[in-house]
mmCIF file of all heavy atoms in Angstrom:
data_model
loop_
_atom_site.group_PDB
_atom_site.id
_atom_site.type_symbol
_atom_site.label_atom_id
_atom_site.label_comp_id
_atom_site.label_asym_id
_atom_site.label_seq_id
_atom_site.Cartn_x
_atom_site.Cartn_y
_atom_site.Cartn_z
ATOM 1 N N LEU A 123 -71.836 -6.899 39.266
ATOM 2 C CA LEU A 123 -72.835 -5.849 39.509
ATOM 3 C C LEU A 123 -74.255 -6.340 39.218
ATOM 4 O O LEU A 123 -75.200 -5.538 39.192
ATOM 5 C CB LEU A 123 -72.505 -4.608 38.667
ATOM 6 C CG LEU A 123 -71.147 -3.963 38.975
ATOM 7 C CD1 LEU A 123 -70.846 -2.835 37.995
ATOM 8 C CD2 LEU A 123 -71.106 -3.433 40.416
ATOM 9 N N ALA A 124 -74.410 -7.652 39.007
ATOM 10 C CA ALA A 124 -75.722 -8.199 38.596
ATOM 11 C C ALA A 124 -76.826 -7.833 39.585
ATOM 12 O O ALA A 124 -77.926 -7.424 39.178
ATOM 13 C CB ALA A 124 -75.622 -9.715 38.440
ATOM 14 N N ASP A 125 -76.550 -7.948 40.885
ATOM 15 C CA ASP A 125 -77.604 -7.655 41.884
ATOM 16 C C ASP A 125 -78.022 -6.191 41.836
ATOM 17 O O ASP A 125 -79.201 -5.864 42.009
ATOM 18 C CB ASP A 125 -77.100 -7.979 43.298
ATOM 19 C CG ASP A 125 -76.981 -9.486 43.513
ATOM 20 O OD1 ASP A 125 -77.489 -10.241 42.653
ATOM 21 O OD2 ASP A 125 -76.386 -9.889 44.519
ATOM 22 N N LEU A 126 -77.043 -5.303 41.618
ATOM 23 C CA LEU A 126 -77.379 -3.866 41.555
ATOM 24 C C LEU A 126 -78.186 -3.563 40.298
ATOM 25 O O LEU A 126 -79.085 -2.714 40.309
ATOM 26 C CB LEU A 126 -76.103 -3.022 41.568
ATOM 27 C CG LEU A 126 -75.542 -2.650 42.949
ATOM 28 C CD1 LEU A 126 -75.093 -3.870 43.713
ATOM 29 C CD2 LEU A 126 -74.406 -1.656 42.811
ATOM 30 N N LEU A 127 -77.872 -4.252 39.224
ATOM 31 C CA LEU A 127 -78.602 -4.022 37.964
ATOM 32 C C LEU A 127 -80.049 -4.502 38.086
ATOM 33 O O LEU A 127 -80.972 -3.787 37.691
ATOM 34 C CB LEU A 127 -77.891 -4.729 36.806
ATOM 35 C CG LEU A 127 -76.609 -4.014 36.337
ATOM 36 C CD1 LEU A 127 -75.650 -4.981 35.662
ATOM 37 C CD2 LEU A 127 -76.959 -2.866 35.379
ATOM 38 N N VAL A 128 -80.263 -5.656 38.667
ATOM 39 C CA VAL A 128 -81.650 -6.142 38.738
ATOM 40 C C VAL A 128 -82.476 -5.339 39.742
ATOM 41 O O VAL A 128 -83.702 -5.448 39.757
ATOM 42 C CB VAL A 128 -81.765 -7.663 39.025
ATOM 43 C CG1 VAL A 128 -81.230 -8.467 37.872
ATOM 44 C CG2 VAL A 128 -81.127 -8.045 40.319
ATOM 45 N N SER A 129 -81.821 -4.503 40.539
ATOM 46 C CA SER A 129 -82.574 -3.623 41.440
ATOM 47 C C SER A 129 -83.150 -2.412 40.703
ATOM 48 O O SER A 129 -83.941 -1.656 41.272
ATOM 49 C CB SER A 129 -81.672 -3.124 42.575
ATOM 50 O OG SER A 129 -81.218 -4.220 43.319
ATOM 51 N N ALA A 130 -82.734 -2.203 39.454
ATOM 52 C CA ALA A 130 -83.266 -1.075 38.659
ATOM 53 C C ALA A 130 -84.544 -1.515 37.943
ATOM 54 O O ALA A 130 -84.788 -2.710 37.763
ATOM 55 C CB ALA A 130 -82.218 -0.622 37.646
ATOM 56 N N ASP A 131 -85.364 -0.533 37.532
ATOM 57 C CA ASP A 131 -86.627 -0.876 36.847
ATOM 58 C C ASP A 131 -86.375 -1.504 35.477
ATOM 59 O O ASP A 131 -86.941 -2.526 35.141
ATOM 60 C CB ASP A 131 -87.485 0.382 36.649
ATOM 61 C CG ASP A 131 -88.156 0.778 37.949
ATOM 62 O OD1 ASP A 131 -88.218 -0.089 38.848
ATOM 63 O OD2 ASP A 131 -88.576 1.944 38.073
ATOM 64 N N ARG A 132 -85.537 -0.826 34.671
ATOM 65 C CA ARG A 132 -85.255 -1.329 33.309
ATOM 66 C C ARG A 132 -83.748 -1.252 33.066
ATOM 67 O O ARG A 132 -83.257 -0.403 32.319
ATOM 68 C CB ARG A 132 -86.001 -0.486 32.262
ATOM 69 C CG ARG A 132 -87.514 -0.586 32.395
ATOM 70 C CD ARG A 132 -88.205 0.248 31.329
ATOM 71 N NE ARG A 132 -88.227 -0.425 30.033
ATOM 72 C CZ ARG A 132 -88.586 0.176 28.894
ATOM 73 N NH1 ARG A 132 -88.893 1.459 28.873
ATOM 74 N NH2 ARG A 132 -88.614 -0.498 27.761
ATOM 75 N N PRO A 133 -83.004 -2.146 33.715
ATOM 76 C CA PRO A 133 -81.536 -2.055 33.616
ATOM 77 C C PRO A 133 -81.004 -2.350 32.208
ATOM 78 O O PRO A 133 -81.533 -3.213 31.512
ATOM 79 C CB PRO A 133 -81.054 -3.117 34.604
ATOM 80 C CG PRO A 133 -82.190 -4.060 34.756
ATOM 81 C CD PRO A 133 -83.451 -3.294 34.519
ATOM 82 N N VAL A 134 -79.970 -1.605 31.851
ATOM 83 C CA VAL A 134 -79.359 -1.785 30.531
ATOM 84 C C VAL A 134 -77.844 -1.901 30.663
ATOM 85 O O VAL A 134 -77.220 -1.094 31.358
ATOM 86 C CB VAL A 134 -79.602 -0.569 29.602
ATOM 87 C CG1 VAL A 134 -79.258 -0.926 28.158
ATOM 88 C CG2 VAL A 134 -80.988 -0.034 29.705
ATOM 89 N N ILE A 135 -77.290 -2.862 29.966
ATOM 90 C CA ILE A 135 -75.831 -2.961 29.842
ATOM 91 C C ILE A 135 -75.494 -2.702 28.377
ATOM 92 O O ILE A 135 -76.016 -3.383 27.484
ATOM 93 C CB ILE A 135 -75.321 -4.358 30.244
ATOM 94 C CG1 ILE A 135 -75.727 -4.697 31.680
ATOM 95 C CG2 ILE A 135 -73.797 -4.436 30.080
ATOM 96 C CD1 ILE A 135 -75.513 -6.175 32.052
ATOM 97 N N ILE A 136 -74.629 -1.710 28.148
ATOM 98 C CA ILE A 136 -74.137 -1.452 26.795
ATOM 99 C C ILE A 136 -72.683 -1.909 26.743
ATOM 100 O O ILE A 136 -71.845 -1.430 27.516
ATOM 101 C CB ILE A 136 -74.178 0.066 26.461
ATOM 102 C CG1 ILE A 136 -75.598 0.633 26.588
ATOM 103 C CG2 ILE A 136 -73.557 0.321 25.083
ATOM 104 C CD1 ILE A 136 -76.590 0.113 25.585
ATOM 105 N N ASN A 137 -72.403 -2.818 25.854
ATOM 106 C CA ASN A 137 -71.032 -3.297 25.686
ATOM 107 C C ASN A 137 -70.586 -2.872 24.286
ATOM 108 O O ASN A 137 -71.087 -3.389 23.285
ATOM 109 C CB ASN A 137 -71.006 -4.828 25.843
ATOM 110 C CG ASN A 137 -69.590 -5.364 25.876
ATOM 111 O OD1 ASN A 137 -68.677 -4.713 25.391
ATOM 112 N ND2 ASN A 137 -69.421 -6.545 26.430
ATOM 113 N N THR A 138 -69.646 -1.924 24.242
ATOM 114 C CA THR A 138 -69.216 -1.390 22.934
ATOM 115 C C THR A 138 -68.237 -2.352 22.265
ATOM 116 O O THR A 138 -67.114 -1.995 21.937
ATOM 117 C CB THR A 138 -68.553 -0.010 23.086
ATOM 118 O OG1 THR A 138 -67.414 -0.180 23.934
ATOM 119 C CG2 THR A 138 -69.492 1.020 23.651
ATOM 120 N N SER A 139 -68.713 -3.560 22.104
ATOM 121 C CA SER A 139 -67.927 -4.594 21.442
ATOM 122 C C SER A 139 -68.658 -4.871 20.131
ATOM 123 O O SER A 139 -69.808 -5.320 20.144
ATOM 124 C CB SER A 139 -67.897 -5.832 22.335
ATOM 125 O OG SER A 139 -67.289 -6.900 21.686
ATOM 126 N N VAL A 140 -67.995 -4.585 19.040
ATOM 127 C CA VAL A 140 -68.672 -4.640 17.730
ATOM 128 C C VAL A 140 -69.207 -6.056 17.471
ATOM 129 O O VAL A 140 -68.450 -7.025 17.523
ATOM 130 C CB VAL A 140 -67.705 -4.219 16.603
ATOM 131 C CG1 VAL A 140 -68.396 -4.277 15.256
ATOM 132 C CG2 VAL A 140 -67.150 -2.819 16.872
ATOM 133 N N PRO A 141 -70.513 -6.197 17.243
ATOM 134 C CA PRO A 141 -71.076 -7.538 17.040
ATOM 135 C C PRO A 141 -70.727 -8.110 15.671
ATOM 136 O O PRO A 141 -70.270 -7.379 14.783
ATOM 137 C CB PRO A 141 -72.585 -7.293 17.157
ATOM 138 C CG PRO A 141 -72.794 -5.868 16.804
ATOM 139 C CD PRO A 141 -71.533 -5.135 17.166
#
Side-chain angles (χ1 to χ4, degrees):
L123 299 174
D125 289 349
L126 273 65
L127 285 155
V128 293
S129 299
D131 283 342
R132 296 181 79 191
V134 194
I135 302 168
I136 302 293
N137 188 338
T138 60
S139 173
V140 180

